[in-house]
Amino acid sequence: DPAMLTVDAKPYPYAFSPSHTALLVIDMQRDFILPNGFGEIEAGNGLEAVQASVAPTKKLLDTCRQANIAVFHTREGHKPDLSDCPSSKIIRQNAQPGNTKHLKAIGDMGEMGRLLIRGEYGHDIVDELQPLPGEVIIDKPGKGAFWQTTLMDKLKARAITHLIICGVTTECCFATTLREANDRGFECCGIEEATAGYKEDFKCPTLDMIHWSQGLFGFVASLQPLLDVLA
Ligand code: TIU
């Protein structure tokens, strides 16, 4: 297929046709990236890594736009009445007895609005990565982007078979979505510099598990070689 591109990746080169590939930008929301958002409250760790991933993600996004690759953005969040939020999630992502860090729960008022609630300022995507008209936004109640969403239908409608995946956090929504996509038959490639999380120790093993054993869940590529083949 002359339209096929190939980029160096682990565990072996990733081949994809741009017309059947989508870029999936996971949860680059203010609530996960900016101070006083849900992520900082939840993780308690620094936001340096997730903030540092914005610029490489912007490069990837711009390059995919120029290459006419379909762009899908996801946002984790819930309806204002929380009717789509499992009680298990409210309970475990909440202030626990003895937890002095995680003092706010989903739906509580934060400095950027109610945490992880659709329509609030904090729930939306950071300014640098705002979707353009024609790009798809998937609002999801879970960590994975396929659960209780129209993502599968919208990918099928565009005959997408391959997914380039980036976003936050590596250990949580990025990995869950990539694994969900792999089970549904998509050939997935995560982009190392364009994903980040809240716990530094988790990034390398999370990415290693993706490509381990001849690609257990898919591929992992570095950003620059991908930008080069798309240019
Ligand atoms: N987007 C995403 O990863 N949501 C999270 O809840 N991340 C955590 O690291 N918990």
Side-chain angles (χ1 to χ4, degrees):
D1 184 345
M4 237 29 205
L5 297 178
T6 301
V7 63
D8 191 36
K10 295 172 184 169
Y12 53 85
Y14 177 71
F16 64 101
S17 159
S19 59
H20 295 287
T21 301
L23 174 69
L24 199 47
V25 186
I26 304 292
D27 296 6
M28 294 298 282
Q29 296 159 258
R30 298 185 182 107
D31 259 338
F32 292 120
I33 291 172
L34 299 185
N36 301 307
F38 180 76
E40 185 177 47
I41 293 167
E42 178 196 42
N45 294 329
L47 296 170
E48 290 81 9
V50 292
Q51 290 183 347
S53 76
V54 173
T57 302
K58 172 86 168 115
K59 272 192 202 169
L60 176 59
L61 178 59
D62 287 343
T63 301
C64 286
R65 283 168 172 165
Q66 281 160 17
N68 286 316
I69 288 179
V71 177
F72 285 63
H73 304 260
T74 71
R75 300 185 298 201
E76 180 180 347
H78 299 279
K79 296 176 181 173
D81 67 1
L82 292 174
S83 59
D84 59 352
C85 188
S87 57
S88 58
K89 186 175 181 180
I90 297 176
I91 291 163
R92 281 186 293 102
Q93 300 211 333
N94 194 353
Q96 301 286 330
N99 182 345
T100 55
K101 278 183 179 169
H102 190 181
L103 300 176
K104 286 189 178 170
I106 294 168
D108 284 353
M109 186 55 73
E111 291 183 22
M112 295 188 289
R114 291 181 65 203
L115 298 169
L116 289 190
I117 299 297
R118 292 179 194 152
E120 300 288 342
Y121 181 78
H123 172 266
D124 202 7
I125 293 165
V126 294
D127 294 341
E128 298 92 320
L129 304 174
Q130 278 281 319
L132 292 180
E135 296 178 354
V136 179
I137 301 175
I138 299 290
D139 279 316
K140 61 187 181 70
K143 305 305 186 191
F146 288 87
W147 167 247
Q148 298 281 52
T149 73
T150 58
L151 178 58
M152 186 70 182
D153 290 340
K154 292 196 165 88
L155 292 171
K156 275 184 156 178
R158 289 162 179 76
I160 300 296
T161 55
H162 287 58
L163 296 173
I164 294 168
I165 306 183
C166 63
V168 297
T169 63
T170 311
E171 62 271 9
C172 187
C173 295
F174 166 92
T176 304
T177 296
L178 190 147
R179 289 172 175 216
E180 283 188 341
N182 177 61
D183 274 349
R184 286 160 177 79
F186 294 95
E187 287 283 12
C188 300
C189 186
I191 307 304
E192 186 166 351
E193 294 83 356
T195 184
Y198 295 133
K199 194 160 157 61
E200 205 186 337
D201 296 352
F202 284 167
K203 180 166 176 175
C204 184
T206 299
L207 295 179
D208 282 352
M209 278 186 268
I210 290 168
H211 66 75
W212 177 69
S213 188
Q214 290 302 299
L216 185 62
F217 301 111
F219 297 78
V220 175
S222 296
L223 177 60
Q224 194 58 51
L226 179 61
L227 299 179
D228 292 343
V229 302
L230 288 174

